[in-house]
Amino acid sequence: MAKEKSQARREHLARMRAEQKRKERRVAFLMWGIGGLVIVVLVGLVAVYVVNDRSGKSLDSVASYKYEGSDHSWDKVAYTETPPVGGRHNYIWQNCGIYDKPIHNEHAVHSLEHGAVWITYQPDLPQAEVDKLKTLASADYMLLSPYPGLPAKIVASSWNHQLKVDSADDPRLPAYIKKYKQNPAYTPEFGAACSSGVGTTAEQPLPPPTAADPHESAAPEESAAPEEPASPSPAAS
């Protein structure tokens, strides 16, 4: 009888140990499974972030055109794109800077020919958005102005290139500026000045014809503010 009881106790202990080991294996398997799932989720989130970050800064949506430079005219020009990105333009360029009123296409296009980036925005764009754009445009070879009838909330233009966005926080804006501003590969008159031109707005008429060539009296400069303080607000440098 004693032997039978002892044997029963040993069998009971063996069953308890086996059950304990099964529980430990289940817990270990569950922990490893959860850990693996967490790692998979984290890797997926990182991948999504990287893809979204790259796509957010991608300039694949930039439209390209083929206009030749050095096509000048004293007359108004009917442009195909809104705003224009190249083509015939006034002999005098727009002084780079920040303008609170629309400016003449003909002057702005000439500035693009010199390597400027022209940021335009719909006149009803919230002031907070406009302030962010002013920060972006507070540098050399930058133009900023409202533009009635703009096809998007914000449009960045340079010679033969254009980007449309809906927010001043769009990461493509600084990427666009970095790539296209004063880029010799895209600038017909690389190194030409973005000052010593005109600081007028569209409320004022285009200048009358003159025999003088503005290029002969203008030297390249890193930054420039509009010359006529009554029209635009001064550019920060």
Side-chain angles (χ1 to χ4, degrees), residues 12-74:
H12 178 69
L13 289 174
R15 288 194 297 270
M16 291 181 62
R17 292 192 184 100
E19 181 64 25
Q20 181 64 30
K21 288 182 179 180
R22 284 194 295 270
K23 289 181 178 179
E24 290 175 353
R25 285 196 296 268
R26 286 198 296 269
V27 171
F29 179 78
L30 182 61
M31 293 300 294
W32 279 105
I34 293 175
L37 180 61
V38 169
I39 291 174
V40 170
V41 171
L42 288 176
V43 170
L45 290 175
V46 170
V48 170
Y49 172 80
V50 171
V51 170
N52 288 341
D53 184 62
R54 288 179 178 176
S55 62
K57 295 179 181 178
S58 172
L59 296 179
D60 292 342
S61 57
V62 171
S64 299
Y65 305 86
K66 293 183 179 180
Y67 288 106
E68 298 295 331
S70 302
D71 187 4
H72 301 113
S73 172
W74 292 109

Side-chain angles (χ1 to χ4, degrees), residues 102-179:
I103 59 180
H104 286 290
N105 286 329
E106 294 78 6
H107 293 316
V109 171
H110 197 153
S111 297
L112 302 187
E113 187 184 44
H114 289 189
V117 169
W118 181 21
I119 298 178
T120 49
Y121 57 90
Q122 293 177 346
D124 61 351
L125 191 72
Q127 187 59 45
E129 290 279 282
V130 175
D131 291 340
K132 293 175 183 178
L133 295 178
K134 287 183 177 181
T135 299
L136 274 177
S138 296
D140 61 311
Y141 286 89
M142 292 294 301
L143 276 171
L144 176 68
S145 68
Y147 199 105
L150 203 65
K153 291 182 179 180
I154 301 167
V155 179
S157 305
S158 57
W159 189 267
N160 277 338
H161 297 91
Q162 192 170 84
L163 172 69
K164 297 179 177 71
V165 300
D166 291 325
S167 170
D169 292 320
D170 195 307
R172 292 175 296 173
L173 275 175
Y176 181 94
I177 294 169
K178 181 179 180 181
K179 180 175 181 178

